[in-house]
Amino acid sequence: MGIVSPGFQGKPRSAAVTLPPGQYLTEDFPVLSAGPTPRIQLDQWEFVITTEAGVKHRWSWAELLELPSETPTVDLHCVTKWSKLGTTWRGVALDSLFEQVDTAADFALAHSYGGYTTNLPLEDLLDGQAWLVYEYEGEELGAEHGGPVRLLVPHLYLWKSAKWVNGIQLLVQDEPGFWESAGYHDYGDPWREQRYQGD
Amino acid sequence: MARAAVPGRLTGRLAWRTARLVEAREETPTARTLVLDVSGWPGHLPGQHVDVRLTAEDGYSTQRSYSIASAAQGDRIELTVQRVPAGEVSPYLVEGLSPGYPVELRGPVGGWFVWRTTDTAPVLLVAGGSGIVPLMAMVRARRAAGSRVPFRLIYSARTKNDVFYAEELRKRVRDDAGLDVAYVFTREEHGRRINVNDISTAGWPADFQPDCFVCGPTGFVETVADILVALGNEPRRVKTERFGPTGA
């Protein structure tokens, strides 16, 4: 147990909701971005998976919409401490995109318009754990939340769900992304409170 | 935005440290600065933040992140906390924490939204409300280092009475060569929101290639960052830190 701050009570305890350690519940949807919000034209949007052999697989906006969509309802956990439960999205499971990709890589580096990157093990993007999403709660995904398309990997802290995503680079060796280079954890499991390097 | 240029990744775990309140200064009726003594504090860069953990007597604990307001100075750090209506942590930090009381914290955290005293580009700071806190740390670090890097601060607040560090900012402008401060008041008579004219008049021409730091509520930061890019600033030179909810 931590050191008690006298007189601190906190919010009323509720047994109904179990959150990852150090998280609190919010009904809002805060925004965390390191720079200006990129504005992307749909007719210029594309998503590229680049294998470790340099083979590129490309999807245009129209091609993305042709793939079967899913509507996952998931909990979000941001490293800045807020959690938001029961959010519903629409998008394409990364499994659908990877069907045509031949790779032996273990790691992925997601790239975004604006230059953001984040690294994840490839296996965390597969088996129904990750999506490219373009709708949030039935509405087109707003630019401040990563639209037109963001990555959604809800079992990891939200910085792994790269906004404005435009590609995945497959790597044989792990390579730190933007926040990971600045001291944040390479994996980022909220249930193990992996916020920073060394956690 | 390129890969954050941070020398060396953190090694080892960021440990929780016990901080004790030394004194508190009222900034506005709803915000105060906490002067904390943190034994063994490793120092920090202006713009970085700390995670604060509060624990209640029954063992319940919760965490929040707060920007550091002070320049690095031994074992002392200062946080300025704005009371959030119906908040869980900020009312305690603004009204409940007394001198000598402990809180736990770990940090410093964040290697992107920072200004280094070795940086030489002109700097534009744009603050919305309590977004002034990490930017004030930059103003203070500039003075502490005797830096002559030209700084311009544009500070948007609701009214004159909502300005943090008002007296100190007056002194800084008087004594610190190369520091300019402009205010935008949103709720005074003829009050208005920050606009392109404020940024182009009180900021730097884009071809000076200033390093821009924007901190405030989400809507404010979105507006200012969009204006800066529209005025020709490279997006990678516009660093942002947002807080608070959005309408989404």
Side-chain angles (χ1 to χ4, degrees):
Chain A
M1 174 168 147
I3 292 166
V4 173
S5 294
F8 174 68
Q9 297 186 324
K11 65 173 170 24
R13 314 290 186 263
S14 162
V17 177
T18 305
L19 293 175
Q23 296 294 109
Y24 66 90
L25 199 58
T26 180
E27 303 294 325
D28 302 317
F29 193 174
V31 171
L32 184 78
S33 311
T37 296
R39 314 285 165 180
I40 301 135
Q41 302 296 321
L42 287 179
D43 58 2
Q44 286 163 23
W45 183 89
E46 71 168 358
F47 184 80
V48 182
I49 295 177
T50 307
T51 72
E52 71 277 21
V55 177
K56 291 183 187 294
H57 301 264
R58 296 174 187 275
W59 290 265
S60 67
W61 172 248
E63 288 164 342
L64 182 74
L65 294 189
E66 282 170 14
L67 294 171
S69 71
E70 300 178 0
T71 53
T73 296
V74 298
D75 301 337
L76 307 179
H77 306 295
C78 180
V79 73
T80 62
K81 317 284 159 31
W82 58 265
S83 291
K84 184 173 175 64
L85 306 183
T87 62
T88 300
W89 306 75
R90 177 181 295 277
V92 176
L94 280 176
D95 299 294
S96 301
L97 301 174
F98 273 93
E99 270 176 19
Q100 42 182 295
V101 176
D102 182 23
T103 180
D106 287 328
F107 299 98
L109 188 64
H111 290 260
S112 296
Y113 289 98
Y116 182 78
T117 55
T118 188
N119 54 310
L120 316 91
L122 178 56
E123 64 180 5
D124 286 83
L125 293 175
L126 303 176
D127 297 326
Q129 297 182 92
W131 297 263
L132 290 189
V133 292
Y134 44 78
E135 277 183 24
Y136 170 68
E137 302 296 352
E139 307 269 352
E140 172 182 297
L141 182 60
E144 76 275 21
H145 287 303
V149 178
R150 80 179 292 170
L151 189 60
L152 180 66
V153 194
H155 68 288
L156 301 178
Y157 281 124
L158 198 56
W159 90 80
K160 298 287 184 181
S161 295
K163 296 178 185 180
W164 316 299
V165 71
N166 67 0
I168 289 174
Q169 183 186 356
L170 296 171
L171 298 167
V172 175
Q173 286 195 313
D174 201 7
E175 188 180 307
F178 176 80
W179 287 119
E180 294 84 1
S181 297
Y184 286 77
H185 201 276
D186 278 317
Y187 188 63
D189 179 351
W191 294 96
R192 287 187 278 168
E193 204 170 2
Q194 294 172 333
R195 299 180 194 275
Y196 311 120
Q197 296 290 336
D199 276 354
Chain B
M1 154 181 38
R3 171 78 51 80
V6 178
R9 306 179 75 190
L10 294 178
T11 52
R13 191 167 194 274
L14 270 181
W16 288 102
R17 300 168 189 274
T18 303
R20 283 186 193 278
L21 186 68
V22 177
E23 60 170 322
R25 293 193 298 268
E26 187 174 285
E27 300 291 348
T28 72
T30 57
R32 71 172 184 167
T33 292
L34 310 176
V35 181
L36 297 164
D37 187 69
V38 195
S39 180
W41 180 248
H44 61 272
L45 297 170
Q48 288 188 300
H49 66 267
V50 293
D51 287 356
V52 172
R53 180 165 72 184
L54 293 181
T55 301
E57 280 182 21
D58 65 356
Y60 169 83
S61 78
T62 191
Q63 300 180 25
R64 297 292 188 277
S65 297
Y66 290 100
S67 291
I68 302 171
S70 51
Q73 192 184 13
D75 284 351
R76 292 279 168 94
I77 68 166
E78 298 184 10
L79 310 178
T80 304
V81 180
Q82 170 73 48
R83 190 184 198 287
V84 178
E88 181 186 19
V89 169
S90 63
Y92 177 78
L93 294 179
V94 174
E95 290 154 17
L97 190 72
S98 297
Y101 282 15
V103 299
E104 288 178 289
L105 58 80
R106 66 174 184 157
V109 178
W112 171 249
F113 194 84
V114 295
W115 179 74
R116 290 176 171 78
T117 53
T118 50
D119 292 344
T120 54
V123 170
L124 174 64
L125 309 174
V126 189
S130 57
I132 185 65
V133 175
L135 307 183
M136 191 65 186
M138 297 179 191
V139 170
R140 288 167 165 166
R142 175 185 184 274
R143 175 176 177 80
S147 165
R148 293 301 177 103
V149 169
F151 264 43
R152 288 182 174 173
L153 166 63
I154 306 174
Y155 185 177
S156 170
R158 290 195 295 183
T159 72
K160 290 185 175 66
N161 294 331
D162 295 297
V163 171
F164 293 3
Y165 323 120
E167 184 55 36
E168 184 183 350
L169 279 170
R170 268 192 290 277
K171 280 191 200 140
R172 290 284 79 82
V173 170
R174 189 190 66 200
D175 300 342
D176 295 8
L179 170 68
D180 295 307
V181 180
Y183 294 92
V184 175
F185 295 113
T186 58
R187 303 268 176 93
E188 305 249 289
E189 197 178 350
H190 309 301
R192 57 182 175 72
R193 297 195 174 278
I194 197 164
N195 61 33
V196 65
N197 199 33
D198 298 310
I199 306 283
S200 60
T201 305
W204 299 104
D207 58 8
F208 285 26
Q209 301 194 312
D211 288 332
C212 305
F213 295 90
V214 186
C215 186
T218 295
F220 176 87
V221 171
E222 288 288 313
T223 298
V224 172
D226 285 351
I227 289 172
L228 285 167
V229 172
L231 287 173
N233 292 279
E234 290 175 71
R236 68 182 180 87
R237 290 190 177 274
V238 179
K239 298 184 177 183
T240 63
E241 190 133 289
R242 299 159 161 89
F243 56 80
T246 73

